[in-house]
């Protein structure tokens, strides 16, 4: 299975399990994660959620072949599985821990902004190459990353789309801690276990209070990003970016205004 879902000792673990495709995420994988998170919300036995990948890679982001095969014919993205997953993740009342090893590309970085505790291996590498694909930030990242890193740093990462490493992610506040790659999963599980041992109502209420002040702003930002992202998917620039990707060449955006 491309998403491994296990429940043990109060922790739901969701693991990207498609290493032959660098854990690139398909619509079916998004739906599986959305369903698992929604089920966990209704399961009193689950007190924390852990999202992880493989030691060599967290996720390469969207599987572009699958993404374009199922591309919307209009600007509306709300019926897509990725939207359902992000809605479930951002709305989860239970604490979510992420353990990132290797590359976290595109939505692989975006989703971390909706987690509560994010731990990175010392080999972690983050990137948000939306502009390079003729697109714009997604799922609140234009707001959340600016709040996390400050406008100048966020502009550099979101406009240029260049990768950055774990120490910089820690310094900017995207991750909670950097640990040796060999220790990452055990450490993250240990942190999740600490959450499981605490009063569930206290953790849920603390999370709710911390997120309350920005919930409306995030919803509004996601709606605005969604509108632009959907329209830009149909643009000549995005078509050129995706065509160049599949043809394994550098895209040429100079012909577009």
């Amino acid at each position: 299975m491309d998403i491994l879902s296990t429940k043990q000792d109060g922790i739901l673990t969701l693991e990207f399990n498609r290493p032959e495709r660098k854990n690139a995420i398909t619509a079916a994988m998004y739906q599986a994660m959305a369903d698992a998170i929604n089920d966990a919300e209704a399961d009193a036995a689950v007190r924390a959620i852990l999202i992880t990948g493989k030691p060599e890679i967290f996720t390469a982001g969207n599987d572009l072949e699958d993404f374009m095969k199922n591309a919307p014919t209009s600007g509306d993205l709300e019926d897509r599985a990725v939207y359902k997953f992000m809605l479930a993740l951002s709305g989860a009342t239970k604490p979510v821990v992420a353990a990132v090893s290797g590359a976290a590309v595109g939505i692989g970085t975006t989703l971390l902004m909706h987690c509560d505790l994010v731990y990175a291996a010392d080999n972690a590498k983050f990137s948000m190459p939306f502009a390079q694909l003729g697109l714009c930030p997604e799922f609140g990242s234009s707001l959340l990353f600016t709040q996390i890193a400050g406008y100048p740093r966020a502009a550099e990462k979101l406009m240029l789309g260049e990768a950055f490493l774990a120490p910089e992610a820690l310094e900017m506040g995207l991750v909670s801690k950097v640990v040796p790659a060999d220790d990452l999963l055990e450490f993250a599980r240990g942190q999740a276990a600490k959450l499981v041992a605490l009063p569930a109502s206290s953790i849920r209420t603390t999370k709710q209070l911390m997120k309350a002040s920005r919930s409306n702003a995030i919803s509004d930002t996601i709606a605005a990003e969604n509108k632009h992202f959907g329209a830009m998917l149909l643009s000549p620039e995005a078509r050129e970016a995706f065509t160049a990707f599949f043809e394994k060449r550098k895209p040429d955006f100079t012909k577009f205004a």
Side-chain angles (χ1 to χ4, degrees), residues 49-54 58 95-102 104 108 111-113 115-126 166-167 169-170 173-181 183-195:
I49 299 167
L50 172 62
I51 300 175
T52 188
K54 296 298 183 185
F58 184 63
V96 182
V97 180
V100 184
S101 185
L111 71 85
L112 302 176
M113 302 175 205
C115 297
D116 302 298
L117 304 178
V118 180
Y119 299 108
D122 50 14
N123 69 344
K125 186 176 183 180
F126 308 85
L170 177 64
L174 177 64
V175 304
S176 310
K177 186 172 290 187
V178 177
V179 299
D183 301 333
L184 175 68
L185 192 53
E186 181 180 358
F187 180 83
R189 282 177 175 156
Q191 296 297 90
K194 291 179 184 178
L195 292 168

Side-chain angles (χ1 to χ4, degrees), residues 142-189:
S142 61
L143 171 69
L144 293 172
F145 197 60
T146 301
Q147 291 178 339
I148 290 168
Y151 184 88
R153 300 285 286 277
E156 181 180 56
K157 305 309 180 189
L158 288 170
M159 291 182 182
L160 295 178
E162 295 173 346
F164 54 101
L165 302 179
E168 187 175 5
L170 177 64
E171 188 263 328
M172 287 190 295
L174 177 64
V175 304
S176 310
K177 186 172 290 187
V178 177
V179 299
D182 290 343
D183 301 333
L184 175 68
L185 192 53
E186 181 180 358
F187 180 83
R189 282 177 175 156

Side-chain angles (χ1 to χ4, degrees), residues 55-102:
E56 64 277 10
I57 188 160
F58 184 63
T59 173
N62 282 311
D63 182 307
L64 292 184
E65 185 175 350
D66 179 82
F67 188 78
M68 294 311 296
K69 187 184 302 181
N70 299 291
T73 56
S74 69
D76 187 7
L77 302 178
E78 294 188 10
D79 61 341
R80 292 173 67 89
V82 60
Y83 192 93
K84 296 174 183 176
F85 162 64
M86 289 302 298
L87 195 66
L89 177 63
S90 63
T93 62
K94 298 180 181 183
V96 182
V97 180
V100 184
S101 185

